[in-house]
């Protein structure tokens, strides 16, 4: 339970601080939901006045908070950048779970339908279409993030506007903390070499 919970907390913080949608961790969420069910069954069998029951209930509440926060963050990102993530999924990326993909499609259909019925039908004929190139909002991948290095990584290309060449290469050492743009380290976050903090 401890290792799974630690992994869930890392996944939650990465999702929380990442400007992009990370790969879905639905198996981890399902595993934690099963563990919560087991913990609740154990609490039912325990004596009512046992102090451990209160501690276990607090732990269950903490896990539920992390799970719900993780899922709310993902839904918020999907709603904000729906068209972009659907286009990315169409190109072969698998960041969305099947349920999230279905939600994103339905959400996009509903928003487009609403825009057409409320506003676009009243516009001149040449402005009555929704061009995905203009309506799909991209996540801000150049946003700066705090990170902690989990695994030594050499040769990380970091673009730097102040350097003459416009590029800088860093060697990241385990345990270090940095502030840098998200785009150059996105793959490192996905692989687990760094964690966002």
């Amino acid at each position: 339970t401890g290792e799974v919970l630690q992994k869930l907390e890392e996944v939650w913080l990465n999702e929380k601080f990442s400007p992009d949608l990370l790969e879905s961790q639905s198996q981890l969420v399902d595993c934690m939901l099963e563990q919560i069910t087991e913990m609740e069954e154990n609490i039912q069998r325990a004596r009512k006045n046992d102090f451990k029951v209160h501690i276990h209930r607090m732990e269950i509440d903490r896990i539920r908070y992390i799970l719900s926060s993780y899922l709310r963050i993902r839904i918020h990102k999907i709603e904000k950048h729906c068209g972009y993530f659907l286009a990315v999924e169409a190109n072969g990326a698998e960041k969305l779970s099947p349920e999230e993909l279905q939600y994103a499609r339905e959400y996009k259909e509903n928003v487009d339908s609403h825009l057409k019925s409320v506003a676009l039908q009243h516009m001149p004929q040449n402005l009555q279409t929704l061009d995905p190139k203009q309506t799909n909002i991209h996540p801000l991948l150049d946003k700066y993030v705090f990170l902690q290095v989990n695994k030594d990584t050499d040769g990380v290309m970091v673009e730097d506007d102040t350097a003459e060449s416009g590029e800088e290469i860093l060697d990241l050492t385990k345990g270090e903390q940095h502030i840098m743009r998200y785009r150059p380290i996105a793959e490192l976050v996905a692989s687990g070499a760094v964690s966002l903090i």
Side-chain angles (χ1 to χ4, degrees), residues 131-142:
D131 182 12
K133 291 178 183 175
Q134 295 177 345
T135 58
N136 289 352
I137 302 170
H138 299 272
L140 301 173
L141 300 181
D142 289 324

Side-chain angles (χ1 to χ4, degrees), residues 17-65:
F17 297 123
S18 167
D20 195 11
L21 187 70
L22 302 176
E23 187 175 335
S24 173
Q25 299 292 325
S26 56
Q27 289 179 335
L28 185 63
V29 170
D30 292 341
C31 178
M32 284 310 299
L33 288 173
E34 288 174 14
Q35 299 227 348
I36 287 175
T37 303
E38 288 178 24
M39 289 172 75
E40 287 175 334
E41 289 171 0
N42 290 341
I43 288 175
Q44 294 297 331
R45 288 191 293 265
R47 290 181 298 150
K48 299 291 181 198
N49 296 335
D50 192 357
F51 183 69
K52 292 179 185 176
V53 169
H54 298 293
I55 293 174
H56 284 292
R57 281 213 171 101
M58 286 174 40
E59 185 67 8
I60 289 172
D61 289 343
R62 186 172 81 90
I63 295 169
R64 278 195 177 129
Y65 172 80

Side-chain angles (χ1 to χ4, degrees), residues 72-110:
R72 271 194 318 268
I73 291 165
R74 288 187 63 81
I75 291 296
H76 175 72
K77 287 181 181 181
I78 290 169
E79 289 176 353
K80 188 173 182 180
H81 308 290
C82 189
Y84 171 76
F85 290 132
L86 286 173
V88 168
E89 286 289 314
N91 289 333
E94 296 181 4
K95 292 185 175 189
L96 300 173
S97 69
E99 296 83 8
E100 290 171 336
L101 183 59
Q102 179 182 351
Y103 175 78
R105 286 179 178 147
E106 290 175 6
Y107 182 81
K108 177 113 174 82
E109 282 178 29
N110 290 336

Side-chain angles (χ1 to χ4, degrees), residues 110-153:
N110 290 336
V111 168
D112 289 352
S113 173
H114 179 70
L115 285 175
K116 287 176 184 172
S117 68
V118 170
L120 290 180
Q121 70 179 359
H122 304 293
M123 305 286 276
Q125 190 67 30
N126 62 337
L127 299 174
Q128 289 189 357
T129 59
L130 290 171
D131 182 12
K133 291 178 183 175
Q134 295 177 345
T135 58
N136 289 352
I137 302 170
H138 299 272
L140 301 173
L141 300 181
D142 289 324
K143 178 180 175 183
Y144 281 82
V145 293
F146 290 91
L147 62 100
Q148 179 168 338
V149 181
N150 298 331
K151 186 168 53 172
D152 290 348
T153 309

Side-chain angles (χ1 to χ4, degrees), residues 7 10-11 14 22 25 145-156 170-178 180 182 184-197:
K7 179 67 177 165
E10 182 181 335
V11 164
N14 282 344
L22 302 176
Q25 299 292 325
V145 293
F146 290 91
L147 62 100
Q148 179 168 338
V149 181
N150 298 331
K151 186 168 53 172
D152 290 348
T153 309
D154 295 334
V156 177
L170 285 179
D171 294 335
L172 302 177
T173 306
K174 182 177 180 175
E176 291 180 337
Q177 294 182 352
H178 296 274
M180 60 179 62
Y182 178 77
I185 54 108
E187 292 297 322
L188 298 176
V189 172
S191 71
V194 301
S195 295
L196 301 181
I197 53 175

